[in-house]
Amino acid sequence: MGQPCYFGDDKLIAPDCTDNFQIVQPMFSAYGYEWHSVEQALQALKFPEGSIGRKHILNCTPDEMERSGDYGMRVWMLGQRNPPNFSDWVMRKGWNLEKVKVMYILNLSKYASNESFQKDLVDVTNGHRIIGRLSTNSHRHGKNWKFWNENTQMAIRSLIIKGEDLRVVIASVEEMSGAEVEKLLMGVSNED
């Protein structure tokens, strides 16, 4: 997802915090690393721990004047690499079963790191439907990243409204399987 979501029937532009490409200042922590964006983390984490692919994307920092969309595309492109004769650029085993869970945890971590993101998500979109932008497809359950992103944003907004501690939620989501997280997100109502 490379731009903020929309919200409401008129498809108004949602806050930047709904954009997985958003460069986060200060960086946020998840999976034992510090990240510049959800997209950077998602692309790096698809590669095994200690691999060249993960290290390369982890060390990819935004240029001084680089916009979020440009940086997000740069790390997305790195995550699509799979050079021949480079076994270290092969995705980690079981990635397709875990990627939605990882994206959910990364977004929870980003929102937990910055109360202004939480405030923007609730204050601007509350009571409105959140609509993800078109993105790359994921064939699992016939859903794509647009679907997963809008449901992730809706689920997090609901947690914030309920006053849930997002760090506690992260700990419980970490104990779930990828399929359980997908089921949870598929059940998210798009109305608060």
Side-chain angles (χ1 to χ4, degrees), residues 54-184:
R54 182 176 291 191
K55 288 177 188 174
H56 190 69
I57 297 169
L58 176 63
N59 292 323
C60 184
T61 61
D63 294 333
E64 188 174 328
M65 299 302 290
E66 191 169 27
R67 295 184 323 231
S68 292
D70 295 332
Y71 175 69
M73 279 306 297
R74 190 157 55 96
V75 294
W76 179 83
M77 289 174 62
L78 286 171
Q80 308 317 300
R81 279 183 73 178
N82 194 3
N85 304 321
F86 244 101
S87 61
D88 236 10
W89 280 89
V90 174
M91 283 190 290
R92 73 183 205 202
K93 197 172 194 169
W95 173 248
N96 286 328
L97 300 174
E98 294 292 312
K99 63 187 175 185
V100 172
K101 173 183 171 179
V102 171
M103 185 180 82
Y104 186 44
I105 289 172
L106 292 171
N107 273 282
L108 283 164
S109 300
K110 177 177 96 170
Y111 280 102
S113 76
N114 190 317
E115 287 186 22
S116 71
F117 295 161
Q118 296 176 42
K119 183 174 176 12
D120 287 348
L121 180 65
V122 171
D123 289 354
V124 176
T125 70
N126 194 23
H128 298 283
R129 200 170 141 244
I130 293 179
I131 305 155
R133 302 264 184 145
L134 292 177
S135 188
T136 55
N137 286 331
S138 166
H139 301 292
R140 193 156 167 74
H141 301 298
K143 307 296 182 205
N144 60 34
W145 283 116
K146 174 190 177 303
F147 172 85
W148 295 121
N149 191 54
E150 63 195 15
N151 282 32
T152 293
Q153 300 300 321
M154 293 295 299
I156 293 171
R157 181 176 75 183
S158 180
L159 292 167
I160 295 166
I161 290 170
K162 292 176 187 172
E164 299 280 344
D165 181 336
L166 298 183
R167 298 204 184 276
V168 172
V169 174
I170 292 166
S172 68
V173 172
E174 287 173 337
E175 299 299 318
M176 298 170 75
S177 70
E180 290 170 321
V181 172
E182 288 184 15
K183 185 176 179 179
L184 172 96

